[in-house]
Amino acid sequence: MYRKPLLWIIILASLAWPVVVKLHTGQWPKPHTSLDFAGGIRLAYEMDPSDQVAKGITNDTLRKQALQQAKDTFLFRLRDFNLSELSVRTVGDQTLLVEAPGIEEIQDVLDRLGHAQVITFRVLEEGMPFEPDDVRPCFHFSREQMCRVVGESVMEHDDFKYEATRVEQQQPDPQSNLGHQSNADQYVVVLSIKSQTKFTEVTSKYYQRRLAICLDREIVTAPQIRDVIHGDAIITGYQARSEAEDIVKLLRAGPLPVSFNLTEQRVISPTLGQRSLHSALIILPVGVVLIFVLLFLAYSNQPEFVAMIVVCQLVQASAVYFLAWVGLLVLSLLSVCALAILSGVAVDGLILIFEEFARVKRKEERMLTGNVLRSLDKALVTERPVIRWANFLGMLPVIPLYFVGEPVRSLVVTMAIGTLLAVVTTLVVGRWMVASEWVLEGLKKTTRQLRPLLGLHFNLFAVSKYLLGIYLIALAMSPYLLIHKGQVNSIDFTSGAEIVLQLDVGIDTEFLERFAGEYFKRRCSVRHLTASVLQPGGSLSYAIQVPGLESQLQSSQAASSRSGPTPAGLAASLQESVSHPVRLASVSSVGATVTGITEQTTIIASIIGLVVLTVFLIGIFDVATGMSIVVVMVLDATITLGAISFFNIPWSLPILSALLTVVGYSVYDSIVVARHVWNDCQSGQYSGHAFNESLKNLSRRMVLTVATTAASGIAVAIYCEGLLRDFGIVMSTGAIFGMMSTAAVVARAIRFSLKRLPRKPVEPNDAQEMSVGRPATV
């Protein structure tokens, strides 16, 4: 039991840290934000024409290959800058477009990207450090400043086969020929040799010396040659797989295949327009207030509980803000999608504890053994494993997507941290507050005469036939919509065109986005480009990205035509609308952020997550219940996809994040219901009455949770536009139909499984103990 002063000291400290930062630094702490909210930098690099000729890059196929290799190299070189939401796109067959949120080390980035780095293999001399001069340049390890003595290059980048270079698990091998002497090695890099004769001579000549792999003048690693090598080289000494993979990525990326010239350097406006952001900042607090009003009406006989939820939510929000400030989280539309529903999950955990407390208290009062602390302890013991397992299993379908790469990886990290915060808020902060004096005193004052203003006493399973009918209709319509209406892809998932317009007078980006969307009949994204990196606002250029627009629609085509959707026609129509000069500056084809390889990897990772989740669920429950949870998760996702198609929502990374969050919530809700019903009807004591009572007790919680989860989503869907509207539709649809599937499908599967359990006679003492004792845990 925690004392009240200590509890409030911890809570006040968690809420007051921004004020402390303000007093100490003179500025309010700013969270790390992405392009969605803060905008960032835009760099355009174009292949050097003379270097193309020198390197023999003379046709379209070779140019595309060189551009893709350069894209991989750019992404690898920017790995050390901690850039979340980094985007590198191909533009046409000559240009790479780099976009990243507010790069502070802009000069370092330009230096890293601006020249063709060279990978060489040099013998490292085990001598004293030296001062560099004109004859001997400074070579140093990445985390050191002192110079090391290295010889001339003995191997070049072209002497190796990097497509065959790979990472493997360390195998005990005393004959390993190139590596560090370490008994704790776990991973190795297998370096495939192309110039075998040359490498054999080098390893023979420099036996027992260290061979430094250098990127320009930076020594990346320097393994020791322990044998004369006649086959593949094995580099050992990596304690983490990520360290070995970095070496493989470095070698595969290699130097740039051709030199690039920086042709554009601009600041870009946020993805979300100012109007959308202001609307969200108004609507979301209103939605939060409505949630707490609903909770107050449902628990008006226990206002201390509602106040406890408010405090817990403030603590959770403060923790998210702190993590975003220190850089562990980056606030983007993707992360907001995940954190919004996870905040509702934290509220649901507290509702679960309180509803279980009320249920236990009612039983104990009937037995005349009621005690507030005893009932509270039993509620906590019952709900703790349910909350842990429901949150963990809800994350399982999402965790494999971590290996897909950015920006999906940052979304998975955000969801994992958000889930952990939800569990900690519920089981730690919530437990402290429930056990505090002011809440306990309030619980003791609760009487049967004091009823809540909003009575929710019904059984969702009693109307499950109607819910099942609505659910099946929506499920039947979803494939029809997906087949006949199709799916609209955003620039994240399909290539398109970027149209740059120049205006003499500034224009609202959201107005321009709507105007371009109506003209091209598809969702477009608009960015304001400023001419200066350090002082945004001085330029009147606007980049309009149109997904699916054919690259051959150049500015020279149909310059005066307004009948077809052409870039020139857009400029002419916009000029009439705004009544001042509009110039078409350029039209370029742009590649998708998510490549086909990434999509394929995402599908494979999702299948792996489903398989692992199914195994866990069958092990915890049985085949029928476990499979029903997996099936309704897939069906909920299908219905959500149908809603995306019905409302013409473009398939983008934020919508993907919302869908992943909906999937996790579907699993969470189903597991909570299944675990409670199994606990209530355990040990072969199933009866229709016990089953109905269990679902009746859960119905109030399910309705309150869906209402609190969907309230903000519905408000955003009604009052906001663009991507925020899409997000609200996806979240509210997933929450509502997730409740229906749990009550109509999962509950039926649970009843089917429980009916098949062997029954045994129940002794009165056993029955009494089951009514008040500790339920079986997960």
Side-chain angles (χ1 to χ4, degrees):
M1 181 71 64
Y2 290 88
R3 299 180 174 227
K4 181 177 179 181
L6 177 60
L7 168 66
W8 284 107
I9 288 174
I10 294 173
I11 292 176
L12 290 176
S14 65
L15 296 179
W17 71 265
V19 179
V20 176
V21 173
K22 167 68 174 176
L23 295 175
H24 182 69
T25 64
Q27 295 181 344
W28 291 103
K30 290 185 178 181
H32 284 63
T33 53
S34 72
L35 285 167
D36 294 334
F37 299 114
I41 193 72
R42 173 190 176 109
L43 305 171
Y45 286 89
E46 187 173 343
M47 287 188 191
D48 187 292
S50 60
D51 200 37
Q52 287 187 62
V53 177
K55 298 291 179 58
I57 303 174
T58 56
N59 58 55
D60 292 341
T61 301
L62 293 176
R63 274 191 290 270
K64 289 180 180 178
Q65 292 176 354
L67 202 62
Q68 185 58 47
Q69 182 182 344
K71 177 180 177 180
D72 296 337
T73 304
F74 273 33
L75 288 170
F76 180 77
R77 292 182 182 180
L78 293 174
R79 72 195 187 284
D80 296 328
F81 288 95
N82 192 26
L83 300 176
S84 177
E85 309 296 324
L86 174 67
S87 170
V88 179
R89 300 177 187 268
T90 58
V91 180
D93 59 357
Q94 297 279 344
T95 305
L96 283 176
L97 195 64
V98 180
E99 293 181 345
I103 304 176
E104 296 180 358
E105 314 99 324
I106 179 62
Q107 191 56 51
D108 293 337
V109 171
L110 295 175
D111 292 341
R112 183 68 65 90
L113 296 179
H115 67 285
Q117 291 171 299
V118 178
I119 297 178
T120 56
F121 295 76
R122 301 169 180 267
V123 176
L124 178 65
E125 302 292 343
E126 300 288 354
M128 295 296 293
F130 73 98
E131 292 296 329
D133 52 36
D134 295 337
V135 179
R136 295 188 302 176
C138 178
F139 283 78
H140 61 87
F141 285 94
S142 58
R143 297 179 181 178
E144 294 182 359
Q145 296 299 323
M146 63 179 182
C147 300
R148 300 286 187 137
V149 179
V150 297
E152 295 295 326
S153 176
V154 296
M155 300 285 291
E156 305 297 334
H157 187 264
D158 294 336
D159 293 329
F160 299 89
K161 296 187 292 187
Y162 300 105
E163 66 277 2
T165 298
R166 60 196 182 276
V167 177
E168 291 184 355
Q169 185 77 27
Q170 169 70 48
Q171 299 295 330
D173 183 9
Q175 303 299 323
S176 54
N177 48 24
L178 180 61
H180 301 287
Q181 298 289 345
S182 173
N183 295 325
D185 296 343
Q186 296 180 3
Y187 298 97
V188 300
V189 172
V190 180
L191 190 60
S192 185
I193 312 300
K194 183 189 298 182
S195 303
Q196 188 66 62
T197 302
K198 182 178 179 180
F199 195 64
T200 301
E201 293 175 353
V202 169
T203 54
S204 176
K205 182 178 179 180
Y206 299 104
Y207 175 66
Q208 294 295 343
R209 304 279 292 277
R210 294 178 68 184
L211 187 64
I213 303 176
C214 304
L215 179 63
D216 283 346
R217 295 176 182 175
E218 177 184 310
I219 303 174
V220 180
T221 184
Q224 183 184 38
I225 302 173
R226 298 213 301 255
D227 200 354
V228 178
I229 302 175
H230 299 283
D232 290 342
I234 300 176
I235 307 177
T236 63
Y238 299 105
Q239 302 300 313
R241 188 180 187 92
S242 59
E243 296 177 7
E245 287 177 344
D246 274 350
I247 297 299
V248 174
K249 290 177 182 177
L250 167 68
L251 296 173
R252 287 181 176 175
L256 288 171
V258 62
S259 297
F260 280 78
N261 299 321
L262 179 64
T263 59
E264 182 183 60
Q265 178 181 345
R266 299 196 182 194
V267 165
I268 53 177
S269 64
T271 305
L272 288 180
Q274 202 66 26
R275 187 180 304 171
S276 296
L277 192 56
H278 286 166
S279 299
L281 293 176
I282 294 174
I283 296 301
L284 287 177
V286 171
V288 172
V289 171
L290 291 177
I291 289 173
F292 289 124
V293 168
L294 174 64
L295 290 175
F296 177 78
L297 294 176
Y299 295 103
S300 56
N301 62 328
Q302 195 56 62
E304 294 86 357
F305 175 66
V306 181
M308 184 187 74
I309 292 180
V310 173
V311 173
C312 288
Q313 286 293 286
L314 289 174
V315 171
Q316 185 175 355
S318 179
V320 170
Y321 188 36
F322 176 79
L323 293 176
W325 176 56
V326 299
L328 295 178
L329 284 179
V330 177
L331 296 182
S332 64
L333 198 56
L334 277 75
S335 62
V336 170
C337 291
L339 293 172
I341 198 168
L342 291 173
S343 176
V345 168
V347 173
D348 178 69
L350 295 172
I351 292 176
L352 279 172
I353 293 174
F354 191 80
E355 288 293 318
E356 178 64 18
F357 162 78
R359 187 174 74 91
V360 174
K361 192 73 169 62
R362 288 194 299 268
K363 288 185 177 182
E364 292 193 341
E365 284 179 351
R366 287 198 296 267
M367 296 165 48
L368 301 178
T369 60
N371 180 277
V372 173
L373 283 176
R374 179 182 175 184
S375 302
L376 181 60
D377 288 340
K378 289 183 177 181
L380 290 170
V381 167
T382 301
E383 298 304 328
R384 189 181 295 115
V386 176
I387 293 171
R388 287 174 180 168
W389 276 100
N391 280 278
F392 169 70
L393 294 178
M395 277 296 300
L396 269 185
V398 183
I399 290 176
L401 298 178
Y402 175 84
F403 302 98
V404 172
E406 292 290 350
V408 180
R409 175 175 294 177
S410 61
L411 166 65
V412 177
V413 171
T414 299
M415 293 185 68
I417 294 177
T419 300
L420 180 62
L421 285 175
V423 173
V424 170
T425 301
T426 303
L427 298 183
V428 179
V429 181
R431 178 176 179 272
W432 291 354
M433 296 193 67
V434 167
S436 62
E437 296 175 13
W438 65 290
V439 175
L440 287 176
E441 289 300 320
L443 295 176
K444 292 177 182 178
K445 294 177 182 178
T446 303
T447 62
R448 300 180 64 87
Q449 290 74 27
L450 185 59
R451 298 290 183 182
L453 298 176
L454 180 62
L456 296 173
H457 298 286
F458 54 87
N459 188 351
L460 281 178
F461 192 71
V463 294
S464 63
K465 292 182 179 179
Y466 303 103
L467 297 179
L468 182 61
I470 298 173
Y471 190 82
L472 291 177
I473 292 173
L475 184 61
M477 291 177 60
S478 297
Y480 175 84
L481 290 170
L482 292 172
I483 293 173
H484 294 277
K485 198 168 184 180
Q487 199 77 44
V488 181
N489 285 329
S490 74
I491 200 69
D492 290 337
F493 288 92
T494 186
S495 58
E498 181 175 87
I499 305 168
V500 178
L501 300 179
Q502 291 182 343
L503 293 84
D504 293 336
V505 179
I507 188 172
D508 181 63
T509 55
E510 291 184 274
F511 166 78
L512 185 55
E513 186 173 290
R514 287 195 302 271
F515 188 92
E518 294 173 359
Y519 181 81
F520 287 110
K521 306 303 183 197
R522 64 193 74 190
R523 181 73 63 82
C524 305
S525 61
V526 176
R527 300 268 181 84
H528 176 212
L529 308 179
T530 65
S532 171
V533 173
L534 300 178
Q535 296 180 354
S539 174
L540 299 176
S541 297
Y542 297 86
I544 307 169
Q545 292 181 341
V546 189
L549 188 65
E550 297 297 330
S551 60
Q552 62 264 28
L553 293 178
Q554 299 298 320
S555 59
S556 61
Q557 295 177 320
S560 61
S561 173
R562 296 167 195 169
S563 59
T566 65
L570 171 67
S573 298
L574 181 63
Q575 181 167 333
E576 284 188 355
S577 178
V578 297
S579 301
H580 54 75
V582 177
R583 295 176 295 278
L584 181 60
S586 64
V587 180
S588 306
S589 62
V590 292
T593 303
V594 180
T595 63
I597 296 176
T598 305
E599 289 186 78
Q600 183 180 6
T601 307
T602 303
I603 294 173
I604 295 174
S606 300
I607 293 174
I608 294 174
L610 285 178
V611 172
V612 175
L613 175 64
T614 304
V615 172
F616 266 94
L617 291 175
I618 292 176
I620 294 174
F621 301 107
D622 67 332
V623 175
T625 304
M627 290 303 299
S628 70
I629 295 175
V630 175
V631 168
V632 299
M633 178 189 68
V634 176
L635 297 182
D636 290 347
T638 303
I639 291 177
T640 307
L641 287 173
I644 291 173
S645 179
F646 178 78
F647 289 101
N648 293 317
I649 297 175
W651 187 242
S652 61
L653 286 171
I655 297 304
L656 171 64
S657 73
L659 181 64
L660 291 176
T661 312
V662 164
V663 166
Y665 176 78
S666 174
V667 175
Y668 170 88
D669 191 50
S670 298
I671 291 174
V672 167
V673 172
R675 188 67 263 170
H676 277 86
V677 175
W678 273 82
N679 282 346
D680 293 340
C681 305
Q682 61 179 324
S683 304
Q685 304 303 322
Y686 168 77
S687 68
H689 175 72
F691 180 80
N692 288 329
E693 278 296 311
S694 181
L695 285 175
K696 181 179 179 180
N697 291 329
L698 289 168
S699 295
R700 172 184 171 90
R701 165 258 160 197
M702 291 173 67
V703 171
L704 285 174
T705 301
V706 169
T708 55
T709 303
S712 296
I714 293 175
V716 169
I718 293 175
Y719 292 103
C720 292
E721 298 179 359
L723 199 54
L724 289 175
R725 166 186 168 272
D726 300 340
F727 161 64
I729 291 174
V730 173
M731 299 299 288
S732 54
T733 300
I736 293 171
F737 282 96
M739 179 195 70
M740 290 185 181
S741 64
T742 301
V745 180
V746 175
R748 278 181 161 79
I750 296 172
R751 185 174 64 174
F752 171 78
S753 298
L754 290 172
K755 281 183 176 180
R756 298 176 62 188
L757 291 176
R759 301 195 180 194
K760 66 179 182 180
V762 182
E763 299 295 333
N765 290 336
D766 292 339
Q768 182 182 22
E769 181 64 23
M770 186 177 66
S771 65
V772 298
R774 174 175 176 169
T777 59
V778 178

